[in-house]
Amino acid sequence: MKWILKLILLLSIPIISNAQLILSDSLVHAYRNASNDSMRYALNRQLLSYYGNTNLDSALKYAEIGVQIAQKNNMKLAEASSSTTLAVQLQNKGRYAESLKYFLSAFAIAGDPEIEKGNEWQLVQDKPLSYQRMSVLANNHNQFSGLMGRIKNNDKQLFHLNESIRIAEESGNKYRLMVATNDLGRLYSKLNKPDSALTLSIRAEKLGAELKDKIYYCYILVDLGYIYQIKGNKDLALGYYHSGIKLANEQHFLSALARGYLKLCNFYLAENKKDSSLYYAKLFEQTLNLQGKVDREDQDLGVVYEKLYQSYQLLGQKDSILKYARLTIEAKDSISNDRLQNMAAFQQVLLDEQLRLQNIEKEKKEFQNKIRTYLLSAGLGVFLLVAFLLYRNNRQKHSANIVLQEQKVKVESTLQELKSTQSQLIQSEKMASLGELTAGIAHEIQNPLNFVNNFSDLSNELIEEMKTAFKNGEPEEGFSIADDIRQNLEKINHHGKRADAIVKGMLQHSQSSSGVNESTDINALADEYLRLAYHGLRAKDNSFNATLKTDFDQTIGNINIIPHDMGRVILNLIANAFYAVNEKSKQGIAGYEPTVEVSTKKVMDKVEVKVKDNGPGIPQKILDKIFQPFFTTKPTGQGTGLGLSLSYDIVKAHGGVLRVETKDGKGSEFIIDLPVN
């Protein structure tokens, strides 16, 4: 029976395949013949990955070499990464003090964002240096938590695992997130918090499946088995244990395999299944022998002998019980002594680090005191300098005030002159617009005067006829003529009132605005100024002709505006339109017909008044200047440059907007947007 058990054990132990040995040899050969340190460092990382699972002594050697290569080439990020790896290997050997030094070195390097500005080797392909630095930092926190676990500092272990998770999440590093999350779940299971542990390990399992990771996934499966075991779900526990062991065998991952065998041994010990517990205890022993001496939690000779001792106790084999009880005590004493020595060295490193930090703090305070002293001295010097400057400036100020007072008088005088000139210019522009109206008004007055004269002459003749009819005894004829005279008088009265209205309008235009809004028919206002402007230009230049178009929205009704001011705006825009089409007509363009169109339209809560021409348009380069005061394109003496500027201000004062749309060579359209109320 014993030989059958031994055969099963031998078949259950993972064998280092020929392919793996060939891979190892080829990596060593490539490493030795590498042409540069960059390639040598990359191969060193691959050898570390291999020996970390099969030969811990070789793994330690290559970890030390990795740090040396990085330091030689001043590759800080590579040095931090290799320092973490070396710290882990030293930790596995139980050399905690040395391990701590390299962890602290990695923290100091990877914690400095300045290294992202350097020219570093690529640790992760196609990822920016910021991502790689965060990856190294997250890994260092994760591995450092293991060292805190060795010295039973659970608070520090929790802190560094949570830091690793935070950094991995911030940088989007799913692999580091998977590892740290599962390690935190394992810690919670040891702290008897199975629900929290299960949540974290399931999250890690999903990440592992997403990443298709087959190495660390072995750990996740074994850890899930243990969590389900302490939650009392034995079937799920066994399922995860066996899945983890199977995958670890396939991947020749000795560390995960040893953990799986140990967990199954403990499981069967708890179930009092002596054969199964002994079977997995021996597998555990064989796997650790393949892996080599390691100082990992629950993976040392003391634990191995203890599990064999407990299994033989169940079997009742006294010789084996006594043998493994003795071996357990010896191994644990040896391990305890080693750990006591390591802890003493570890404490010394911690003390040295604390002293170093205290010295840094002391130097920092001394530096701050020096800076404070320098600042006070500099402040005193500045104060004395300022006092001197103030004294000198005070004397200069007294002299300058006299000069300034004289300049003030001159400036006020100049300002008064400018205001007077401005008023004159505005009045000049006003008179210019009045001049535009004068000829048109004369034309408008002439028509009713002609009617008055004609009907007056006709009425005189009718009076004579009426007298004759009464003398001849024809009263009916006389009364009929009297009716005709009355109608003529009514027409004379009508045309007289029309002339009176035109004159009043002219007087109103020449006077200052009252500044009071009035209910005004905007259509009538626009139509009146269109006719007046046209006839005014015709009176000056009888060769001028243009097609006038109107399109008034009759639904607008009256709006509240200052009619005198808005009339000036409309007149200015129409006069500019006539000027534009007249200038273009002088170019002798075949088929060109000067056209000016005035339209109104109600658009929601506003009224649009548009003045459109088919003149030459406004060039884009001057379009943003046309509303500036004193800007004009007319020849000297033909414009003040204030028309559009004043029009813009008047429309703005009405709560509206004056804007322009133009196409060079096609014409322009000025649009007045006025609020309805």
Side-chain angles (χ1 to χ4, degrees), residues 325-536:
R326 177 177 54 79
L327 288 173
T328 299
I329 293 169
E330 289 176 356
K332 290 199 171 185
D333 284 345
S334 175
I335 291 168
S336 295
N337 290 332
D338 289 344
R339 284 184 176 168
L340 281 172
Q341 292 176 1
N342 286 326
M343 286 302 296
F346 181 80
Q347 293 296 336
Q348 184 60 47
V349 172
L350 281 179
L351 179 61
D352 292 343
E353 180 65 14
Q354 288 174 352
L355 289 173
R356 187 182 71 84
L357 292 174
Q358 286 175 359
N359 286 331
I360 291 173
E361 187 66 24
K362 181 181 178 182
E363 290 173 0
K364 183 179 176 182
K365 286 181 179 178
E366 289 176 353
F367 178 75
Q368 288 175 342
N369 288 334
K370 286 181 181 178
I371 294 296
R372 193 176 294 111
T373 302
Y374 293 151
L375 288 175
L376 286 171
S377 300
L380 180 60
V382 170
F383 174 77
L384 293 173
L385 178 62
V386 169
F388 170 73
L389 292 174
L390 287 173
Y391 171 73
R392 190 185 67 174
N393 288 344
N394 188 49
R395 293 186 63 187
Q396 291 177 344
K397 184 178 178 182
H398 179 70
S399 301
N401 280 340
I402 298 172
V403 177
L404 287 173
Q405 189 62 33
E406 294 174 356
Q407 291 178 346
K408 180 183 176 184
V409 173
K410 291 181 181 179
V411 168
E412 288 177 348
S413 175
T414 304
L415 180 61
Q416 191 61 38
E417 290 176 5
L418 285 173
K419 287 182 177 179
S420 175
T421 303
Q422 183 183 34
S423 299
Q424 290 173 10
L425 284 171
I426 292 172
Q427 187 63 26
S428 174
E429 176 63 25
K430 197 171 180 182
M431 290 300 102
S433 65
L434 181 61
E436 298 284 349
L437 288 176
T438 302
I441 291 170
H443 180 272
E444 288 295 304
I445 291 175
Q446 188 62 47
N447 285 336
L449 286 178
N450 288 338
F451 279 112
V452 169
N453 291 335
N454 291 337
F455 283 119
S456 294
D457 293 340
L458 181 60
S459 295
N460 284 331
E461 293 175 3
L462 288 174
I463 288 171
E464 294 299 325
E465 290 179 8
M466 182 179 67
K467 288 179 180 179
T468 303
F470 280 119
K471 286 180 181 179
N472 295 334
E474 298 175 354
E476 292 181 2
E477 179 65 20
F479 286 120
S480 175
I481 293 170
D483 290 337
D484 291 339
I485 292 171
R486 182 175 56 80
Q487 290 176 5
N488 287 346
L489 291 174
E490 288 175 354
K491 290 177 180 177
I492 289 170
N493 181 263
H494 168 73
H495 289 290
K497 287 181 178 179
R498 182 182 169 196
D500 180 62
I502 292 169
V503 172
K504 285 180 178 178
M506 180 181 67
L507 290 173
Q508 184 183 31
H509 185 83
S510 64
Q511 294 172 354
S512 299
S513 169
S514 65
V516 178
N517 284 341
E518 298 178 17
S519 180
T520 305
D521 185 343
I522 191 68
N523 292 337
L525 188 69
D527 185 54
E528 178 184 359
Y529 278 99
L530 175 63
R531 287 185 295 99
L532 290 175
Y534 178 69
H535 290 304

Side-chain angles (χ1 to χ4, degrees), residues 656-672:
V657 176
L658 176 59
R659 52 194 172 91
V660 63
E661 296 176 0
T662 184
K663 288 184 180 179
D664 201 5
K666 299 291 184 182
S668 303
E669 182 176 37
F670 283 83
I671 304 163
I672 304 170

